[in-house]
Structures are given as structure tokens and as C-alpha cells.
């Protein structure tokens, strides 16, 4: 008979074994049977879409703690969808839907929580999708799509069966994600709205358990807009943001007559048509009109001129990885913050026992908050009504050109000027960034605390730094001339450099939190996954990374447009935190619409930019210590260095092992790492510097201008 110790040892050995997973093909079958996309599964397991793909094609295996969670999920699906049922499915599916449908729907991934909205009641007669075919007479675009197996989706498991959006053409074809094509019989805007809500099965699940599902988006081609009674173009306005139909336009009247409503933005390039929600069921459809410049060329390069199916692919990937577009990329960036950190959550009232709406910890709440006077803009009511004259925060991105007289003869004889660009520098700065969640409190003669977010009045003019580097305390890189307002990160960096900091006064917030963390994580994954799909992966060495970046946009123009939109979402979202008043009729001291948002938070914007600028200076300073190299110019997240060769590999610091030295600029595809921005001759750079121009603005060629984030 075995002893107790021997039995325990055997049991412990079993417990120590890794959980057994089904073969990769079976993992994919179970997920498809459940109607779950790879992106949705990746979000639930706190992983990336590419990692899930690797698990399902056998390239890699999950590790703990994801391994046990993944095994538990697969066991649950195996009980629901046994293999013998999968073999019988094709015959049943043929009767239900003659046309095959692609397996994967690029709707947005759900939140980290498993809680989602209850599935909507399926319509009695579902719309039968088809695979999209290229319409005749349209210019072809390069769109390399991977070959996929086609299976009928599990309708019960996916209330938004056909993805988050569709692009409608004038022949009634509504092109959805992953090659789906629906037939839309609508001939008016009202009919289109009702078809979308009742039959299309378009939409996307919420990104947070306390949030709301994304409303379906219908994108109209120019021909479709005309067919529905809309003008092909809107003229007569100086600014695109002012475009909208007049209230007496027949389509606007039709919408009102059918008891539908428009938001305050009216019927413009991005129109929201809605009725008040009935219970939990939202009744809202968003329209985007391509010929009214809904997709700005700077944020969505080349997309407006693509075929409808390709436009659906671009917007679908963006919706899956970021959010269903809700306006400009800046608007979508701001909306994503709220979608990931909803202001309210249900909680039970202690007295009545009823469920009521309560504050969701970590969010910005539902009410707008006045900034501290130095955090506001000069036209803000807080400033004008109080007569504030105490100065303002000047936390902006770098725009600095090194004085020509500080160039050495050795630097001037180097043949090249090489520009490095930091990937989504503002996004990198948002990681683990503590920001204020409550109203500011005013303090005098307060001791500086680098852990408290806020605005501090301090004198840093006594700090003497190398003139070959920009000052870390001002956007133009000049030395401060007296007391000024600084965000916490700027003063903390002064301490890091070994200088005493003695604030005169401060506006600080008692309640703090990493509000932007979910926003950062989602956009980082979107950026990295999209680059990986374009052939730029994390496992490349620096030489291979530079080679891949040279041609990644040519590999797939559609994904290149997605990548551009993701980057614009980051910068635009940060800029929206301090949206200024628009229009020539505005008068100082009057509130403007953006102030009604809880997300009008100039202090959070200042924190992001301050940290990004400090991160840049830290790298510049470390580079000077490690290599003796000093930059020629900096513009936002781009820096130009003199170089003996045309590649960053010719001047970046590497250890004897070949690995990049920590602390300086490093090449790579993740936020905060660098890529090559452009190469010009050193003579070209010095000539611009002598003229007072910034080489970083033009280093890319084609008279490029970098966005400053707002």
C-alpha cells in the first residue's frame, strides 16, 4: 500500500502539471462556434489579437495566468458546442442563409469585464448578407486581405452580428466589415434609420461593463447621399466644422416629422439621429457623409477615395481596435476616454433598496469642473470674471532650434542630419499618469510633492543648463526668466536634475487616479497590433525594424490609413481636453460648448504634455552623456541629430553586446520608442537654422509639418 506522503506527492505532481489545451484548430472552432472574434477574446484575456492568432495557428502557447483562464473558457465552449454539432451545422446553415459569411467580424472588442449588454431580440426576418463584390467602374485600390474560412456566425451569441458599421452606396448595397454586404432598401434618411435599427444588426458592445453599446454607423457615399435627398456637397461655410443642413431643408423636416431628433450639431458631416431610449434599448444611428468631408484627409489619408468595401474595412479595423468612429478622430479620442471610464455605475440605495445611478470611482463624473485660473485659457469665464492676472501654465510640446553659434566645427563637418520620431509620444506619456479627479484647492507656501498632480508657481530661472540642449522647463527651450506656473512633472524633473524646488503657491487636487490608463492600453494595443499586421513586429532587430518601416505603408494602404487614424486619435484626444472657443463672433468671458463636458480638463492635457516633454529632455540629456551628441532641433516628438551616416544606427548608443543602451533613444514599434523620420544633408539643416527655421519640421521631406497635438 502507498504511504500518505507518496499519495500527496503524486497529487502535487498532477497539480503542478500545466493545463491541457485542445489542438489549435479546435480552439479556433470553439471560438467561431461561440460567435466571438479574436479581438474580443484577446480583450477578455488581457492580451493582443496577434497573440490569440498565434495560439490558434500553433505558433505559440499561452502562459499562466492566461493559460488556466483560457482552458476554462475552452471547456465551457466545448460543453456548449461539441464537435459533432459543428459537423451538422453546414446543412442547417445552408437553409438559413444561402450566402457564406466570413468568420470574423471586426467589431470593437468588449471591455475587460465579462459583463455585456443583454442580446437584442433578433428580427423576425434577418437580413441575408452576401460577400462584397467590387462595383464596376470604380478605381481599384490595393487591399491585400488574408484568405479566411467562411462560416455562418452564431446569431444568438452576437447581437451585433454584422459588425459596428456599414458603407452604403446608391445601389442599396451596404458594405460591412470582413466582406459582408447587406441589402438596404431605404430610399429616404428616415427609412435608412429605421432599417438600421430594426434589421441591419449593426452595432458594437460596450467597452466597459458600466458603459453603453456603440450606436451603429452608416457611412454614405456621395451617390448614396444624393439618392437619399441630401446635397452632394455643402458649401458656403468658412470652416468644415460649421457645415450643416439648414433647418428648413426637406430632409431635416422629414426627420422631425417622423418624430426623430438631431443633436445640437445638426445635420452635418457626422449626424446623430435618435429618439429617447425605451428602457435599456437605445434608438440612435450615426451617419457620416463622405462627400461632406466626414473623413478628414489628414487623419484618414486616402480613405474617402476608396471603394465602399475598402472604406468599410478601414473603419471596421479602427472600430474593432479603438472605437466605432463618432466624429473626427479627435472626437473619437475623447469619446474613447468616457467609453472606457464611464462616469456612473448602478448602486443600491441603502434606504430604499432601489438601484440608482452612482459615481464610478476613477472617472471624471457627470458634471463639468472649473479649472484653477492658471490652468484655464485667457478667455475662460473663470479668468475674465475674477480678473486673474497671475499668469498661466505654459506646458506645450517642444518647438526648439539650437543656436547656430553653439555648433562645433566637428559637428558642422558631419555629412548628415537624421531625424528621429518618437512613436505616439503623448500616448507613452499617458501611461500610469496620475491626474486630478476632484476640484482644485488653493495653497500658499506649500512644500512640493512630486506625487500630487496640480499646478505650482515656482522660480526656476536660477537653473543653468547646457545651452546645446533645450531647457526642460519651457516649450521653446529658453531659460525661464522668473516665477512661472508649472505642472507637477516639470517641477519633479527639476528635482531629478538635482535642483531645489520651493513653490510660492499651488492649485492641487486631493483625489487622484490614473484616469487615462485604459485609454492608453487600448490605443497602445491598437497601434502595436496594426503595425504588426503591416509587418513591423516587436521581435525585429533594429536593422530589420528600419527596413520594415521603409515599406510598411506600401504593404497595405488600408492599414496605413488605420495607423494614421490611431495616431490622430491620440493627439486629437489630448488636444480636445482643452478645446478653445470657435467662431469669429465669440466674445471673451462667454462660456463655449466644450466647457459643458466633464472632459474639458486642461490640467490633464498639461500633465500629458509636461510628461512627454520631460521624457524627451531626459533622453536628450542621456544621449549627450553617453555619446557626446547634441540635437540640432526638436519639434514635439521629433528630434534631429548630426550624424556620420544616413541611418540612426550610425549614432545611437549600443552596448558591446549589441543591445541598445538604456536611457537614450531606442528604435522599435511601441509607444515611446523611435523610428526614422527623415534624412537630409547637414548643410541643409544648418541653412534652415541660420534662417530661424526648424529642421525637425521639414526633415521628412515634401515640406512636412508635424502636428503639435492640438
Amino acid at each position: 500500500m502507498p504511504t500518505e506522503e507518496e499519495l500527496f506527492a503524486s497529487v502535487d505532481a498532477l497539480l503542478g502539471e500545466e493545463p491541457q489545451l485542445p489542438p489549435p484548430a479546435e480552439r479556433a472552432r470553439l471560438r467561431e462556434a461561440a460567435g466571438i472574434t479574436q479581438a474580443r477574446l484577446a480583450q477578455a484575456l488581457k492580451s493582443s489579437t496577434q497573440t490569440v492568432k498565434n495560439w490558434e495557428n500553433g505558433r505559440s502557447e499561452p502562459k499562466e495566468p492566461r493559460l488556466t483562464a483560457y482552458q476554462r473558457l475552452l471547456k465551457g465552449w466545448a460543453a456548449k458546442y461539441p464537435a459533432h454539432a459543428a459537423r451538422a451545422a453546414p446543412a442547417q446553415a445552408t437553409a438559413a442563409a444561402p450566402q457564406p459569411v466570413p468568420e470574423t467580424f471586426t467589431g470593437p472588442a468588449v471591455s475587460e469585464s465579462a459583463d455585456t449588454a443583454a442580446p437584442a431580440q433578433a428580427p423576425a426576418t434577418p437580413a441575408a448578407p452576401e460577400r462584397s463584390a467590387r462595383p464596376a467602374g470604380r478605381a481599384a485600390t490595393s487591399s491585400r486581405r488574408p484568405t479566411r474560412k467562411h462560416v455562418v456566425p452564431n446569431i444568438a451569441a452576437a447581437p451585433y452580428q454584422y459588425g459596428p458599421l456599414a458603407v452604403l452606396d446608391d445601389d442599396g448595397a451596404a458594405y460591412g466589415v470582413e466582406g459582408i454586404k447587406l441589402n438596404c432598401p431605404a430610399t429616404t434618411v428616415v427609412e435608412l434609420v429605421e432599417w438600421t435599427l430594426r434589421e441591419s444588426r449593426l452595432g458594437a458592445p460596450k467597452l466597459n461593463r458600466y458603459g453603453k453599446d456603440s450606436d451603429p454607423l452608416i457611412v454614405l457615399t456621395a451617390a448614396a447621399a444624393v439618392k437619399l435627398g441630401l446635397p452632394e456637397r455643402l458649401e458656403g461655410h468658412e470652416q468644415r466644422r460649421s457645415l450643416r443642413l439648414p433647418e428648413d431643408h426637406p430632409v431635416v423636416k422629414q426627420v422631425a416629422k417622423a418624430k426623430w431628433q438631431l443633436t445640437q450639431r445638426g445635420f452635418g458631416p457626422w449626424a446623430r439621429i435618435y429618439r429617447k431610449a425605451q428602457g435599456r434599448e437605445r434608438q440612435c444611428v450615426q451617419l457620416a457623409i463622405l462627400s461632406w468631408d466626414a473623413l478628414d484627409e489628414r487623419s484618414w489619408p486616402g480613405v474617402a477615395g476608396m471603394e465602399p468595401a475598402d472604406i468599410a474595412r478601414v473603419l471596421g479595423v479602427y472600430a474593432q481596435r479603438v472605437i466605432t468612429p463618432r466624429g473626427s478622430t479627435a472626437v473619437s479620442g475623447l469619446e474613447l476616454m468616457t467609453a472606457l471610464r464611464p462616469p456612473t455605475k448602478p448602486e443600491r440605495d441603502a434606504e430604499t433598496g432601489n438601484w440608482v445611478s452612482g459615481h464610478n470611482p476613477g472617472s471624471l463624473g457627470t458634471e463639468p469642473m472649473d479649472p484653477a485660473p492658471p490652468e484655464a485659457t485667457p478667455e475662460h469665464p473663470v479668468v475674465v470674471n475674477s480678473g486673474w492676472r497671475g499668469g498661466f501654465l505654459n506646458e506645450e510640446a517642444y518647438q526648439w532650434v539650437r543656436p547656430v553659434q553653439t555648433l562645433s566645427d566637428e559637428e558642422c563637418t558631419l555629412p548628415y542630419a537624421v531625424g528621429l520620431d518618437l512613436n505616439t509620444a503623448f500616448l507613452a506619456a499617458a501611461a500610469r499618469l496620475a491626474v486630478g479627479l476632484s476640484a482644485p484647492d488653493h495653497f500658499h507656501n506649500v512644500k512640493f510633492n512630486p506625487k500630487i498632480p496640480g499646478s505650482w508657481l515656482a522660480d526656476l530661472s536660477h537653473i543653468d543648463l547646457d545651452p546645446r540642449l533645450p531647457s526642460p522647463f519651457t516649450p521653446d527651450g529658453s531659460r525661464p526668466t522668473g516665477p512661472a506656473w508649472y505642472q507637477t512633472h516639470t517641477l519633479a524633473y527639476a528635482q531629478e536634475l538635482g535642483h531645489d524646488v520651493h513653490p510660492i503657491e499651488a492649485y492641487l487636487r486631493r483625489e487622484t487616479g490614473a484616469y487615462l490608463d485604459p485609454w492608453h492600453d487600448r490605443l497602445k494595443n491598437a497601434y502595436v497590433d496594426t503595425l504588426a499586421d503591416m509587418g513591423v513586429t516587436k521581435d525585429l532587430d533594429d536593422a530589420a525594424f528600419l527596413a520594415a518601416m521603409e515599406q510598411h505603408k506600401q504593404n497595405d494602404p488600408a492599414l496605413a490609413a488605420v495607423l494614421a487614424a490611431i495616431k490622430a486619435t491620440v493627439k486629437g484626444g489630448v488636444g480636445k481636453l482643452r478645446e478653445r472657443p470657435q467662431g469669429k463672433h465669440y466674445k471673451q468671458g462667454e462660456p463655449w460648448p466644450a466647457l459643458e463636458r466633464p472632459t474639458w480638463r486642461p490640467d490633464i492635457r498639461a500633465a500629458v504634455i509636461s510628461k512627454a516633454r520631460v521624457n524627451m529632455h531626459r533622453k536628450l540629456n542621456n544621449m549627450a552623456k553617453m555619446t557626446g551628441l547634441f540635437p540640432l532641433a526638436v519639434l514635439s516628438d521629433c528630434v534631429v541629430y548630426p550624424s556620420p551616416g544616413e541611418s540612426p544606427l550610425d549614432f545611437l548608443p549600443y552596448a558591446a553586446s549589441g543591445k541598445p543602451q538604456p536611457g537614450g533613444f531606442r528604435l522599435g514599434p511601441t509607444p515611446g520608442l523611435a523610428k526614422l523620420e527623415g534624412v537630409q544633408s547637414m548643410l541643409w539643416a544648418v541653412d534652415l537654422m541660420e534662417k530661424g527655421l526648424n529642421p525637425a519640421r521639414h526633415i521628412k521631406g515634401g515640406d512636412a509639418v508635424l502636428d503639435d497635438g492640438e
Side-chain angles (χ1 to χ4, degrees):
M1 292 290 290
T3 66
E4 182 178 304
E5 290 183 0
E6 290 174 336
L7 290 174
F8 278 14
S10 298
V11 170
D12 289 342
L14 287 176
L15 290 173
E17 289 184 7
E18 289 193 348
Q20 296 298 308
L21 295 174
E26 177 66 4
R27 303 170 199 174
R29 183 195 73 77
L30 290 171
R31 177 185 55 74
E32 292 163 5
I36 301 299
T37 65
Q38 290 174 326
R40 185 173 175 184
L41 175 57
Q43 185 71 14
L45 293 176
K46 308 291 190 301
S47 186
S48 68
T49 306
Q50 186 60 48
T51 299
V52 172
K53 290 178 182 177
N54 292 342
W55 295 345
E56 293 187 356
N57 59 31
R59 288 194 193 129
S60 67
E61 293 294 318
K63 305 295 183 185
E64 292 293 2
R66 293 183 180 87
L67 177 58
T68 301
Y70 189 34
Q71 183 200 40
R72 180 180 180 184
L73 179 65
L74 292 174
K75 282 184 176 179
W77 282 343
K80 281 179 145 184
Y81 313 109
H84 66 82
R87 289 191 292 270
Q92 301 169 0
T94 302
Q99 298 294 335
V101 181
E103 64 156 348
T104 305
F105 296 91
T106 28
V110 296
S111 71
E112 50 229 82
S113 165
D115 296 336
T116 56
Q121 185 67 36
T125 307
E130 303 175 1
R131 294 190 64 193
S132 62
R134 190 179 298 282
R138 293 189 181 274
T141 58
S142 174
S143 178
R144 305 180 185 180
R145 303 181 187 177
T147 303
R148 299 178 183 271
K149 287 194 307 181
H150 297 133
V151 299
V152 176
N154 187 311
I155 295 176
Y160 304 118
Q161 178 182 351
Y162 301 134
L165 55 88
V167 181
L168 181 64
D169 212 351
D170 61 333
D171 59 356
Y175 297 84
V177 298
E178 293 294 334
I180 289 175
K181 186 171 75 172
L182 303 174
N183 178 42
C184 175
T187 57
T188 68
V189 168
V190 170
E191 290 177 357
L192 173 61
V193 170
E194 293 177 348
W195 172 84
T196 302
L197 292 175
R198 295 176 183 174
E199 299 181 44
S200 73
R201 295 183 184 172
L202 295 173
K206 54 195 174 184
L207 300 181
N208 182 285
R209 62 182 298 186
Y210 302 129
K212 300 175 182 177
D213 291 1
S214 288
D215 299 317
L217 168 63
I218 302 294
V219 181
L220 303 179
T221 65
V226 171
K227 177 184 176 182
L228 296 174
L230 299 168
E232 182 174 350
R233 296 195 174 274
L234 287 182
E235 306 292 347
H237 293 280
E238 296 179 2
Q239 295 182 334
R240 188 177 67 88
R241 72 183 73 223
S242 302
L243 292 173
R244 65 191 61 192
L245 288 179
E247 293 184 1
D248 60 353
H249 190 278
V251 170
V252 177
K253 290 183 176 180
Q254 289 171 10
V255 170
K257 185 177 180 181
K259 308 298 184 184
W260 291 97
Q261 299 179 46
L262 293 165
T263 61
Q264 292 182 350
R265 288 192 294 181
F267 207 121
W270 292 87
R272 297 183 73 83
I273 302 176
Y274 71 98
R275 284 178 181 153
K276 290 186 177 180
Q278 296 179 352
R280 293 185 177 181
E281 185 178 352
R282 288 172 60 82
Q283 297 186 89
C284 184
V285 175
Q286 181 161 283
L287 304 181
I289 297 91
L290 292 174
S291 57
W292 296 4
D293 296 327
L295 298 180
D296 187 290
E297 179 65 20
R298 294 170 299 177
S299 302
W300 301 94
V303 176
M306 292 181 178
E307 298 179 27
D310 292 317
I311 296 173
R313 180 188 175 216
V314 171
L315 297 181
V317 173
Y318 180 88
Q320 170 211 342
R321 295 180 175 175
V322 182
I323 193 173
T324 303
R326 301 187 183 184
S328 67
T329 48
V331 169
S332 296
L334 198 68
E335 291 281 344
L336 180 62
M337 295 179 193
T338 304
L340 294 169
R341 291 275 200 191
T344 61
K345 69 170 186 175
E347 58 183 32
R348 193 178 294 277
D349 187 288
E351 295 183 0
T352 65
N354 297 328
W355 287 98
V356 296
S357 180
H359 174 66
N360 184 21
S363 75
L364 298 182
T366 59
E367 297 299 323
M369 184 183 300
D370 280 340
E375 297 166 348
T377 55
E379 66 271 14
H380 195 284
V382 163
V383 174
V384 175
N385 295 338
S386 67
W388 174 259
R389 296 292 184 270
F392 299 95
L393 276 176
N394 190 23
E395 299 288 9
E396 302 294 340
Y398 267 134
Q399 295 192 47
W400 172 79
V401 179
R402 182 174 159 191
V404 178
Q405 60 270 24
T406 65
L407 293 174
S408 67
D409 292 341
E410 183 181 356
E411 287 175 313
C412 291
T413 58
L414 291 172
Y416 298 105
V418 177
L420 292 176
D421 178 65
L422 295 183
N423 302 320
T424 56
F426 287 175
L427 184 62
R432 314 300 174 252
L433 176 67
V435 300
L437 301 178
S438 55
D441 292 321
H442 194 192
F443 298 89
H444 288 276
N445 298 317
V446 62
K447 183 179 179 180
F448 177 66
N449 186 334
K451 295 183 179 180
I452 300 178
S455 303
W456 312 74
L457 180 64
D459 190 349
L460 303 181
S461 60
H462 62 284
I463 299 178
D464 187 20
L465 298 174
D466 194 313
R468 294 172 294 180
L469 290 176
S471 168
F473 311 127
T474 60
D476 63 2
S478 62
R479 183 173 175 172
T481 57
W485 289 95
Y486 300 101
Q487 203 276 334
T488 298
H489 282 89
T490 304
L491 282 193
Y493 188 56
Q495 272 193 343
E496 181 182 322
L497 293 175
H499 303 283
D500 290 334
V501 174
H502 302 288
I504 302 167
E505 60 178 305
Y507 285 90
L508 309 177
R509 288 169 167 79
R510 299 179 187 275
E511 184 183 347
T512 66
Y515 170 70
L516 292 175
D517 262 10
W519 186 80
H520 162 271
D521 294 348
R522 187 165 178 84
L523 285 168
K524 175 186 176 181
N525 289 337
Y527 182 83
V528 171
D529 289 349
T530 304
L531 265 180
D533 288 345
M534 300 168 75
V536 186
T537 56
K538 296 179 183 179
D539 58 350
L540 299 176
D541 62 29
D542 285 358
F545 167 74
L546 291 173
M549 287 298 293
E550 279 186 11
Q551 48 85 46
H552 74 290
K553 292 183 180 179
Q554 289 72 38
N555 287 348
D556 194 327
L559 286 180
V562 174
L563 192 69
I566 293 170
K567 292 189 286 187
T569 301
V570 173
K571 288 192 173 182
V574 172
K576 276 281 184 181
L577 291 168
R578 197 194 66 168
E579 184 176 359
R580 305 288 286 270
Q582 308 293 333
K584 58 185 178 181
H585 301 296
Y586 174 78
K587 295 180 181 179
Q588 281 204 344
E590 293 180 348
W592 58 94
L595 301 187
E596 299 174 6
R597 300 192 312 249
T599 48
W600 195 87
R601 290 294 302 273
D603 57 300
I604 296 180
R605 174 187 177 275
V608 172
I609 297 178
S610 168
K611 186 178 175 185
R613 197 181 66 247
V614 163
N615 287 347
M616 172 65 83
H617 190 276
R618 187 180 289 111
K619 288 180 170 62
L620 298 174
N621 200 29
N622 288 338
M623 281 285 290
K625 293 177 181 177
M626 289 187 288
T627 67
L629 284 177
F630 292 86
L632 302 176
V634 184
L635 180 67
S636 188
D637 46 13
C638 178
V639 57
V640 178
Y641 273 102
S643 172
E646 297 181 83
S647 169
L649 301 177
D650 295 317
F651 66 89
L652 289 179
Y654 290 86
S657 63
K659 292 185 178 181
Q661 291 280 23
F665 293 98
R666 297 177 56 189
L667 300 175
T670 55
L673 298 188
K675 60 181 179 291
L676 177 64
E677 180 69 9
V679 183
Q680 301 288 345
S681 72
M682 185 65 176
L683 289 176
W684 168 91
V686 173
D687 182 56
L688 286 184
M689 294 166 69
E690 289 177 339
K691 295 176 181 177
L693 301 176
N694 193 324
R697 187 179 295 276
H698 308 280
I699 191 75
K700 195 171 186 177
D703 224 23
V705 177
L706 297 179
D707 189 351
D708 65 0
E710 203 174 352

